[in-house]
Amino acid sequence: MKSMRSGLLLMLALCLAGPVLAQGKRACERPERLRFSFVPQGSDQEQQTALNPLLDELREKLKMPVDLIVPTSYGAVIEGLIAGAVDVARLGPASYVTAHRGDARITPFASMEQVEPNFAEQGGVSAVYYSLLVTRQQGPYDSVASLAGKVLALADPDSTSGALIPRHIFARQYNLRLDRYFSRIGYSGNHEQSVLAVLNRNADAAFVASSNVSRMISDGKLSRRDLRVLWRSAPIPFDPFVYRGQLCGDIRDKIRAVFLDRNAPRVNETLHNLRATHFVPVRDADYRIIRELP
């Protein structure tokens, strides 16, 4: 497996995509190798390890090399998809909406039903997640009002639960503007880093995805008793996997078939690594709730 770091190698991929784009519109594209990426949510190495079996299955079924591009930000993945330097990616709901605005041919085809033992409303398995406002359990903050003038951590400007939902839904509910309510707002880069910023007292509170906090608890990186949840959003549709619409139809069909094959051991291994039960089909309409946010 060839793993490529975003900075230099993503620029190289963009340069290599240039001649293809310069040829103008074609009926469809058949890349010599498939380029797969994901928005950063925690440890890059853990995400790579989790995805490796799925990538091996794609290599076998597509009969082509599959490269994993590890990005530095949500925006790098969005730009890569729009520019044709990334072919398939795991996005957050908001980053998908942003990417789709840039290129309407970017298509969601699968999401996951996630094992969510700590925050699911029913049964510990969920196809949705939540934006949580968290602070230290042993800290002095026990309400939203107590956080006025304090330091807030957000994940990334293109993160659904770590930026978009807080700036729109939370702010409207409490009739405030984040940048005026908090003394300082910083972007940590991903949800795990936001949690750590709170625990290490570099931030007083953070908006994070329930699924990421749940995974940290399951992995023993923190205890649920470490955090106090002061606010929880309505359900958010889970992360979509997308591909570029310019890929030839038979390639897109094979990619989708790999994800939705419940009998493939390597696909199930990746699902296990991601704390998920199975992939489920999705479509653009499933993310209308995000697109219609003010």
Side-chain angles (χ1 to χ4, degrees), residues 24-246:
K25 292 183 179 179
R26 303 189 304 180
C28 65
E29 294 179 14
R30 293 188 177 277
E32 294 183 359
R33 54 201 319 116
L34 194 77
R35 295 149 304 179
F36 192 111
S37 193
F38 55 85
V39 292
Q41 298 188 6
S43 164
D44 287 343
Q45 185 57 53
E46 288 181 5
Q47 291 199 66
Q48 291 179 69
T49 300
L51 289 167
N52 278 340
L54 174 66
L55 300 183
D56 286 338
E57 188 75 8
L58 286 169
R59 291 183 185 104
E60 180 178 310
K61 294 297 171 43
L62 296 175
K63 302 190 186 318
M64 71 168 67
V66 178
D67 295 333
L68 185 62
I69 298 175
V70 181
T72 55
S73 68
Y74 285 58
V77 185
I78 295 169
E79 292 167 9
L81 282 163
I82 293 172
V86 172
D87 300 304
V88 181
R90 176 184 179 180
L91 299 177
S95 51
Y96 160 65
V97 170
T98 300
H100 192 261
R101 285 197 193 106
D103 183 350
R105 292 169 292 184
I106 294 171
T107 304
F109 64 90
S111 185
M112 294 181 291
E113 188 171 83
Q114 187 91 2
V115 178
E116 176 76 288
N118 298 291
F119 297 101
E121 290 186 343
Q122 298 180 16
V125 176
S126 179
V128 299
Y129 69 109
Y130 305 88
S131 174
L132 305 176
L133 175 61
V134 300
T135 187
R136 288 185 299 111
Q137 180 66 257
Q138 304 304 319
Y141 312 113
D142 58 3
S143 66
V144 172
S146 69
L147 289 172
K150 306 306 177 183
V151 177
L152 177 70
L154 299 178
D156 182 282
D158 288 304
S159 169
T160 307
S161 55
L164 181 70
I165 296 295
R167 289 194 180 280
H168 293 278
I169 302 299
F170 173 84
R172 186 167 66 237
Q173 181 178 332
Y174 284 90
N175 192 28
L176 56 82
R177 281 183 49 176
L178 293 190
D179 55 354
R180 294 180 179 176
Y181 193 75
F182 294 92
S183 63
R184 182 164 59 87
I185 298 175
Y187 288 101
S188 68
N190 63 57
H191 297 274
E192 286 195 14
Q193 291 301 319
S194 290
V195 171
L196 294 176
V198 170
L199 296 180
N200 294 332
R201 296 177 170 81
N202 295 319
D204 298 306
F207 284 98
V208 292
S210 63
S211 53
N212 291 87
V213 178
S214 184
R215 187 173 303 120
M216 293 179 74
I217 294 170
S218 297
D219 289 344
K221 295 180 179 179
L222 76 155
S223 166
R224 186 165 182 175
R225 295 188 299 272
D226 293 334
L227 296 176
R228 177 180 293 154
V229 177
L230 299 182
W231 181 82
R232 171 175 171 150
S233 73
I236 304 167
F238 208 69
D239 295 358
F241 288 81
V242 307
Y243 44 49
R244 294 194 305 118
Q246 294 90 331

